[in-house]
Amino acid sequence: MRTLPATIAGSVDGLSGRAIAPCRHDSPSDAGSNAYLEDRPCIEEDDMAAKATEKARDIRGHIVEALMRLAAERDWDAIRLSDIAAEAGVTLAEFRGAFGSKGAVLAEFSRRIDKAVLEAMPAPEAPDSIADQPARERVFDVMMRRLDALTPYRAALKRLSRSLRRELTALPELARLALNSQRFMLEAAGIDTEGAMGRLRLQGAVLVYARVLDTWYDDDDPALAATMARLDRELTRGERMLRCAEDAYRLAAPFRAAARVFCEGRARNRRYWRERARSRRDIDGDDNESFAPAI
């Protein structure tokens, strides 16, 4: 009977501290002639690594859910890291290994919501696909899907929105989260978010969604009639403003081209005079060196 070399047989799982047993084959007929001639790592090592990854993922999920449960009962500044760890059933060390701050947990929550919405979007060829609908209807559909995904956390989000508005240091990070989230939502709706007009659409989507959330927090109607009406009004207003911005952007195209040519010309001039000054310094340096022996 052959066994693996001692270096493999004595390897230890870094998380569990348990030795990994070597793979054994009783005969060439059991393992196959090629496998019998080679030492193979045991599949148990891969299984342990997969379990460790799954455990880390579970810890992150538990911490996210714990924060949202606490946020439904307390203001943001009243939630301590130790409170979240205790609610999630993890140690502070495990918390630190998963997240660096409360804000990081909130960012993970936003990413999970985005992922849930994107995974639930119908494929373009599906019967319920929104790909052939007008842009406005596609945006409406995606934003309502995101509100549906947020429904279990409405109480927590309502309280968070009120308490975080008083946290001036948190506002830039919240704005970044909102921009990243809406970037993916608009892409899911087939809306371009690149370039100057794309950035304007993105900023508009963030503003529309923030206004709709204020209505959604207090909309107890299961059909969300008030929320949908508010979203419809905000999209109509945003669409009108975006058309005006697009018209202004097109009208300003000649001026942008002229400004670009002017800036490029100035850059070329600056390079020319820098090179000329550098050449003159080199010539002056050579002249000084040639006269140096005569001094």
Side-chain angles (χ1 to χ4, degrees):
M1 181 181 298
R2 299 186 64 205
T3 62
L4 292 176
T7 55
I8 299 178
S11 61
V12 177
D13 187 339
L15 292 175
S16 65
R18 182 159 53 90
I20 301 173
C23 295
R24 297 172 182 269
H25 300 305
D26 291 334
S27 67
S29 59
D30 293 333
S33 58
N34 292 334
Y36 179 70
L37 296 174
E38 298 179 359
D39 292 320
R40 298 189 306 162
C42 186
I43 298 177
E44 185 179 353
E45 184 176 5
D46 293 336
D47 293 340
M48 288 183 175
K51 290 178 181 178
T53 303
E54 186 64 29
K55 180 182 178 182
R57 188 179 299 115
D58 289 345
I59 288 177
R60 291 175 67 87
H62 291 329
I63 293 173
V64 169
E65 294 294 331
L67 173 62
M68 300 311 292
R69 286 195 297 270
L70 292 174
E73 304 169 355
R74 311 180 195 176
D75 288 342
W76 177 257
D77 55 0
I79 303 175
R80 299 176 56 185
L81 297 178
S82 56
D83 296 334
I84 302 173
E87 179 71 19
V90 301
T91 65
L92 274 177
E94 290 174 324
F95 189 141
R96 184 63 184 87
F99 297 105
S101 65
K102 290 191 299 182
V105 182
L106 199 57
E108 176 65 15
F109 169 77
S110 180
R111 282 191 292 270
R112 287 174 179 242
I113 293 296
D114 293 342
K115 186 171 181 288
V117 174
L118 296 173
E119 288 178 343
M121 290 295 296
E125 63 277 5
D128 57 344
S129 172
I130 63 174
D132 58 345
Q133 297 183 14
R136 185 176 181 279
E137 296 303 319
R138 298 198 303 269
V139 174
F140 186 96
D141 182 88
V142 172
M143 287 192 172
M144 289 304 302
R145 286 174 183 271
R146 196 170 199 279
L147 290 176
D148 288 341
L150 291 173
T151 298
Y153 309 98
R154 177 156 32 185
L157 293 170
K158 180 179 180 180
R159 189 156 191 163
L160 278 174
S161 68
R162 294 174 178 173
S163 59
L164 284 174
R165 287 172 185 174
R166 301 190 297 267
E167 297 284 339
L168 297 181
T169 57
L171 293 180
E173 181 63 20
L174 291 175
R176 187 184 67 82
L177 286 178
L179 283 171
N180 286 341
S181 176
Q182 289 304 316
R183 180 177 289 108
F184 279 95
M185 297 301 102
L186 289 182
E187 286 290 341
I191 306 299
D192 186 11
T193 60
E194 301 301 326
M197 291 307 303
R199 289 190 291 272
L200 184 59
R201 296 186 193 101
L202 184 57
Q203 294 284 353
V206 171
L207 184 59
V208 166
Y209 199 72
R211 289 174 174 172
V212 172
L213 280 175
D214 287 336
T215 300
W216 176 74
Y217 289 141
D218 299 314
D219 190 357
D220 297 328
D221 181 7
L224 297 178
T227 299
M228 288 193 292
R230 178 69 183 272
L231 178 56
D232 187 71
R233 290 195 304 271
E234 294 297 337
L235 287 177
T236 299
R237 181 186 305 172
E239 199 173 29
R240 186 166 55 249
M241 294 178 64
L242 189 60
R243 279 199 299 267
C244 293
E246 288 175 342
D247 291 340
Y249 188 77
R250 283 193 296 269
L251 289 173
F255 300 100
R256 291 198 307 273
R260 188 160 50 246
V261 171
F262 175 73
C263 293
E264 291 173 354
R266 290 191 64 185
R268 283 195 299 269
N269 288 337
R270 284 196 296 268
R271 286 195 299 270
Y272 168 77
W273 287 108
R274 279 198 300 267
E275 291 173 0
R276 183 171 178 177
R278 189 180 301 112
S279 299
R280 179 168 296 180
R281 284 196 302 269
D282 293 342
I283 294 173
D284 293 342
D286 293 341
D287 293 342
N288 292 336
E289 290 177 359
S290 64
F291 281 97
I295 296 176

